[in-house]
Amino acid sequence: MSKVYVFDHPLIQHKVALLRDKKTTTKDFRQLVTEIATLMTYEATRELPTKEVEIETPLERTMVKMLDGEDIAIVPILRAGLGFVDGMLSLIPNAKVGFVGLFRDPTTHLPVPYYCKLPEDIGKRQVFIVDPMLATGGSAVEAINEVKKNGAKNIKFMCLIAAPDGIEAIEKAHPDVDIYIAAKDRQLNDHAYILPGLGDAGDRIYGTK
Ligand code: PRP
Ligand code: URA
């Protein structure tokens, strides 16, 4: 069964509150997404394996633990997921980055795939699939399908805001995938938008509306 982690850290909650405010500008919205992604990455990587490395301090040789950065892949769901990438790379600069392109059909709310480019060795990596919004869960489930089809075995899904429907959809289709969220919201509206939510994440990050 998927484990669901809700990050209730005050810094994250404060920044999510600013994101939700309709008066927040595109520039500030983008900056906040980067900051929250960085804070969430700090928490979500808590259990990553480390490797022992020998180094020399100014006083003596010693064994230290270092992150095995080559083992990580970040996979944003285009386009809004791109907002996570800079913040995550600032903490894990050696991670590889893949892309899954999906948009939601406005009538059926089902995901329409249009692009997929993943690191060749994704099967050996801890994969973080990232997208600000988990609404019906259709996009996340499809992205996980695609990444698994390409050989990935260790997958985590990270988002800002999740609706109960989206969490259930991942738990049902991919019980091996843990879910990291900044806020769990109440419900979806008739257009499958999250309430209270923050609106259309892609439009708010890129200023397209
Ligand atoms: C948004 C969001 C997710 C998806 C979530 O993308 O970024 O990918 O909707 O909805 P779901 O859980 O019901 O599938 P959108 O389709 O608006 O595409 P965009 O990122 O290109 O704007
Ligand atoms: N996609 C978004 O960008 N926002 C929602 O609330 C639901 C799907």
Side-chain angles (χ1 to χ4, degrees):
M1 183 69 160
S2 311
K3 285 192 218 123
V4 181
Y5 301 90
V6 183
F7 294 141
D8 55 2
H9 191 290
L11 280 177
I12 294 179
Q13 291 310 308
H14 179 79
K15 289 176 193 296
V16 171
L18 295 173
L19 277 186
R20 292 185 190 276
D21 189 335
K22 67 177 186 185
K23 295 198 293 297
T24 298
T25 63
T26 300
K27 173 176 163 289
D28 289 347
F29 192 95
R30 208 162 37 225
Q31 177 65 30
L32 285 162
V33 172
T34 298
E35 289 171 5
I36 299 167
T38 310
L39 292 168
M40 291 183 77
T41 300
Y42 176 73
E43 280 296 319
T45 50
R46 188 176 282 281
E47 285 166 20
L48 283 181
T50 52
K51 60 182 175 190
E52 294 273 335
V53 179
E54 188 177 0
I55 58 145
E56 199 170 349
T57 77
L59 301 177
E60 64 176 14
R61 296 191 75 78
T62 186
M63 296 304 287
V64 291
K65 286 185 180 163
M66 296 188 89
L67 192 63
D68 201 352
E70 284 174 8
D71 287 339
I72 296 169
I74 303 166
V75 179
I77 300 180
L78 305 178
R79 73 193 151 140
L82 275 180
F84 270 69
V85 175
D86 286 351
M88 296 186 76
L89 283 176
S90 70
L91 291 189
I92 324 170
N94 293 330
K96 296 275 171 75
V97 183
F99 303 90
V100 174
L102 300 170
F103 67 88
R104 256 186 7 169
D105 182 291
T107 314
T108 63
H109 306 139
L110 293 173
V112 182
Y114 62 86
Y115 188 69
C116 182
K117 184 83 180 170
L118 300 169
E120 273 179 5
D121 59 355
I122 195 149
K124 290 193 283 184
R125 292 178 177 272
Q126 169 64 64
V127 181
F128 287 90
I129 300 181
V130 294
D131 191 326
M133 309 304 276
L134 178 63
T136 64
S139 302
V141 168
E142 179 62 27
I144 298 167
N145 286 343
E146 197 61 42
V147 168
K148 281 188 175 173
K149 223 188 295 166
N150 282 270
K153 290 168 204 77
N154 298 317
I155 303 170
K156 297 177 189 292
F157 182 82
M158 190 154 88
C159 68
L160 296 179
I161 299 189
D165 314 51
I167 295 172
E168 273 170 37
I170 294 183
E171 285 175 332
K172 192 160 167 236
H174 298 291
D176 56 309
V177 174
D178 291 341
I179 305 168
Y180 296 85
I181 62 187
K184 182 174 172 183
D185 274 11
R186 195 176 72 241
Q187 66 183 92
L188 299 178
N189 71 8
D190 292 343
H191 303 286
Y193 272 80
I194 300 174
L195 297 175
L198 50 72
D200 188 297
D203 285 342
R204 295 203 64 194
I205 291 174
Y206 299 110
T208 33
K209 252 186 206 157

